Amino acid sequence: MISVKVSAAVYPTEDPEKVIKAISGLFTGIELQKETIDVTEPEKGVPPSFRLTGVGGLDLLFTLHGLVRRAEIIDSIRNKAFNKGLSREGLSVRFLLNKQAAFVGVASVPAEEGSLGSIEVVIRADSSEEMERLFEWLLPLTEEGVPVVEVGIDYVESG
């Protein structure tokens, strides 16, 4: 079973509603919870006020799936995010998405962590085979930016 956790820190200079809009624009039907952050000494600058977190299953990724195709950034996301963020055992992947781009409905992997943080996505699978099927659905191999083969969501869930 695929599980998805999405979170973003909200800083004092940010409008929490805009951060909610940014996350909700990328993740289908996500329900966000406000979590307090215990910060004793900020690493750099002003610490975040709180964190917004949402959890769910594969269905959270429907909107992201479509946005990545419309923007023709499958290769970019796979190379920047998934290839670098895949755990050693192949059961989880962690990647960041740009908050400002997400606010206008664009999925974009930041070159580096922004000053106001990013949207963190952690996807876990029960097996490395299930993770491979997820990759084939969400970020398939492409030729000139176009998926070579498209598989349906049922392919990820089969196993």
Side-chain angles (χ1 to χ4, degrees):
M1 189 168 106
I2 299 288
S3 66
V4 180
K5 180 178 180 182
V6 179
S7 64
V10 179
Y11 289 82
T13 56
E14 290 183 292
D15 178 349
E17 291 303 314
K18 288 183 177 179
V19 178
I20 290 169
K21 179 184 175 193
I23 296 170
S24 298
L26 298 183
F27 299 95
T28 308
I30 192 165
E31 292 184 25
L32 297 168
Q33 304 297 319
K34 184 177 175 180
E35 296 179 350
T36 58
I37 299 176
D38 294 326
V39 178
T40 53
E41 194 72 32
E43 292 177 24
K44 56 184 179 195
V46 178
S49 302
F50 58 91
R51 177 172 285 284
L52 292 169
T53 302
V55 294
L58 193 55
D59 55 319
L60 287 184
L61 300 175
F62 285 138
T63 300
L64 184 63
H65 178 272
L67 290 172
V68 166
R69 278 153 182 73
R70 275 192 290 285
E72 297 179 354
I73 56 172
I74 294 170
D75 294 328
S76 174
I77 298 236
R78 185 177 51 249
N79 293 334
K80 288 182 186 175
F82 270 59
N83 288 343
K84 293 179 183 176
L86 188 63
S87 66
R88 234 181 288 166
E89 72 281 356
L91 298 179
S92 68
V93 64
R94 177 193 174 273
F95 60 98
L96 302 176
L97 296 170
N98 183 293
K99 264 192 217 176
Q100 285 88 358
F103 181 73
V104 294
V106 175
S108 173
V109 177
E112 57 187 47
E113 179 78 22
S115 59
L116 293 178
S118 299
I119 298 169
E120 179 185 47
V121 182
V122 178
I123 303 172
R124 298 188 191 286
D126 290 337
S127 68
S128 57
E129 293 80 16
E130 186 176 43
M131 184 61 76
E132 286 177 34
R133 290 192 304 271
L134 171 72
F135 273 74
E136 290 175 40
W137 172 72
L138 187 59
L139 301 168
L141 295 176
T142 65
E143 280 185 18
E144 297 180 21
V146 177
V148 175
V149 175
E150 282 280 13
V151 296
I153 193 73
D154 54 329
Y155 174 75
V156 181
E157 295 169 333
S158 69

